[in-house]
Amino acid sequence: MNDTTLTAAERILTFADAVRAELADLPAEEVDDLVEGLVGDLTDQAADHDGAIDLGDPVAYAEELRAAAGLPARGPVVDTKTPWRVRLAAMGARVAGRIRSSAFGAWLLDLLIALRPVWWVLRGLVLAALIAIPAGLGPRTILGYGGFPAQVFTWGLFGAIILVSVQWGRDRWLPRSALRHVRTVASVVAVLFLPLLFSPAMFGAYNAVAYPPDSGYTPAPGLQLDGTQVGNIFVYDKDGNLVEGAQLYTERGTPVNLFGADSENLNDGMGRVMGVDGQNSVVPMRDAQGRAVWNVYPLRLRSYEDINAGSHGTIVAPQPPFLRAPDRALTWTPQPTPGATMLPTPTPAPTVATPAPSPTSTPAG
């Protein structure tokens, strides 16, 4: 029995349930007489056409059965013991029947049925991610960022949950009892969280593939603070006064360049813009040879409008965060610990100068 026959069999059973639901206002024995042999006849028709069968609308089919048997139109249903799953399946079958009334609707439903295994896998991925991400596991751990044990555990976790999801979709590993509701709840949760997890998961997977642990990946050039590019620096002395033209160097004598290697592309604000406030571009100072000097702060600014117009425009000083830095009573002396005794500063002993020898006079000969 091939996949097409299996799909047709499922459709036939659903169609028969929907027809029974439409006849639910009749006595059970009468309903059995009307639909007796329905599943078998439809299965034979599907087999004669290699699994292809057009079932039509179950509501219209039930009305035809009533008319052929001389029964009145559908009345109020008195059977209140029909399980809600049966009623829900009947309602779904009626909706599916109306959709299948058009060629496009029938094609779309057949496509969705064929793609159900994809949803089973996707549902497992979402459920596994909801467990793995809060535990600190994710795409980068799968590729080995957390070490071999964490990688194996994460692979096992995702594989196990996906396997369970697929088996649920195949009506396996879940008894026909109240526990079947677990699958429904899991599906609803997966649908709700799928949009929230899709973008972060894709971004994390891209970073994990593009920058594996042994790729030698280095961070972006330039000076950053908590992952954000620093656009300018303002230097204040210990008394809070703004220092203009302060040259900054590292302990090795390297100029502190906010933009690193990227400063070569800035071309003093006339090339690739790396502004600090969205309206202006930074402009470096120039040495005697006309070369850009990027470690003299604060950097001056030039308007984007002047740059876009092809004009050098006016170079202006940036607005400092403070005209005067907050007074914090800065001192180099460490603050004494309460209760500690300050040791007196030793006074250096006076240095006694050694008298130089007096020159000896030579007697005249």
Side-chain angles (χ1 to χ4, degrees):
M1 185 176 292
N2 53 36
D3 293 340
T4 306
T5 305
L6 286 175
T7 302
E10 294 175 354
R11 290 169 50 199
I12 290 171
L13 291 176
T14 303
F15 180 82
D17 289 340
V19 172
R20 281 184 172 275
E22 289 297 322
L23 301 173
D25 58 308
L26 301 175
E29 296 80 4
E30 198 166 356
V31 174
D32 291 338
D33 293 338
L34 290 175
V35 299
E36 183 180 6
L38 174 61
V39 174
D41 293 340
L42 294 177
T43 302
D44 292 340
Q45 295 179 25
D48 293 339
H49 296 84
D50 295 329
I53 184 172
D54 185 10
L55 297 175
D57 185 1
V59 178
Y61 189 85
E63 292 176 354
E64 293 177 2
L65 290 178
R66 289 176 184 272
L71 297 173
R74 176 184 172 89
V77 179
V78 296
D79 182 12
T80 59
K81 297 181 179 180
T82 304
W84 68 269
R85 289 184 62 255
V86 175
R87 296 196 299 270
L88 184 62
M91 182 178 63
R94 289 195 296 270
V95 173
R98 294 188 178 94
I99 294 177
R100 287 188 180 277
S101 61
S102 66
F104 174 77
W107 172 84
L108 180 61
L109 284 182
D110 289 338
L111 177 63
L112 294 177
I113 291 174
L115 292 177
R116 283 188 304 176
V118 177
W119 162 245
W120 300 340
V121 174
L122 190 59
R123 176 178 60 188
L125 284 173
V126 174
L127 296 177
L130 291 177
I131 298 175
I133 292 177
L137 307 174
R140 298 176 71 84
T141 308
I142 290 177
L143 294 182
Y145 269 68
F148 182 72
Q151 182 183 23
V152 172
F153 176 80
T154 306
W155 274 103
L157 175 66
F158 273 77
I161 296 180
I162 291 174
L163 178 60
V164 170
S165 178
V166 171
Q167 291 295 83
W168 282 356
R170 300 176 61 203
D171 281 333
R172 308 286 178 85
W173 291 10
L174 204 60
R176 294 182 177 275
S177 65
L179 291 179
R180 292 181 63 88
H181 302 327
V182 173
R183 181 176 65 182
T184 303
V185 173
S187 298
V188 173
V189 171
V191 170
L192 294 177
F193 280 90
L194 179 60
L196 300 178
L197 294 176
F198 181 77
S199 296
M202 293 299 295
F203 181 75
Y206 170 78
N207 284 338
V209 173
Y211 310 116
D214 55 350
S215 64
Y217 167 72
T218 55
L223 182 61
Q224 298 189 5
L225 179 62
D226 295 335
T228 303
Q229 173 74 51
V230 178
N232 212 337
I233 290 180
F234 295 86
V235 181
Y236 296 83
D237 63 18
K238 69 180 186 63
D239 296 324
N241 300 312
L242 181 65
V243 177
E244 293 285 348
Q247 300 188 55
L248 300 186
Y249 293 87
T250 67
E251 75 282 0
R252 298 182 179 180
T254 305
V256 177
N257 183 348
L258 294 183
F259 309 112
D262 280 347
S263 61
E264 299 177 359
N265 302 321
L266 290 177
N267 190 22
D268 77 344
M270 300 298 292
R272 186 168 67 86
V273 174
M274 188 176 290
V276 296
D277 58 6
Q279 298 179 354
N280 300 290
S281 175
V282 291
V283 180
M285 296 192 73
R286 297 281 172 175
D287 62 11
Q289 287 74 35
R291 294 171 298 190
V293 179
W294 288 97
N295 71 320
V296 181
Y297 298 98
L299 297 171
R300 294 301 189 259
L301 305 177
R302 177 178 289 132
S303 171
Y304 283 165
E305 296 179 358
D306 295 335
I307 296 173
N308 295 332
S311 170
H312 285 277
T314 302
I315 298 177
V316 298
Q319 182 66 36
F322 312 105
L323 295 179
R324 184 182 180 86
D327 185 7
R328 293 181 290 178
L330 301 177
T331 177
W332 294 112
T333 304
Q335 182 179 2
T337 304
T341 303
M342 296 293 294
L343 298 177
T345 302
T347 303
T351 304
V352 179
T354 304
S358 300
T360 303
S361 60
T362 305

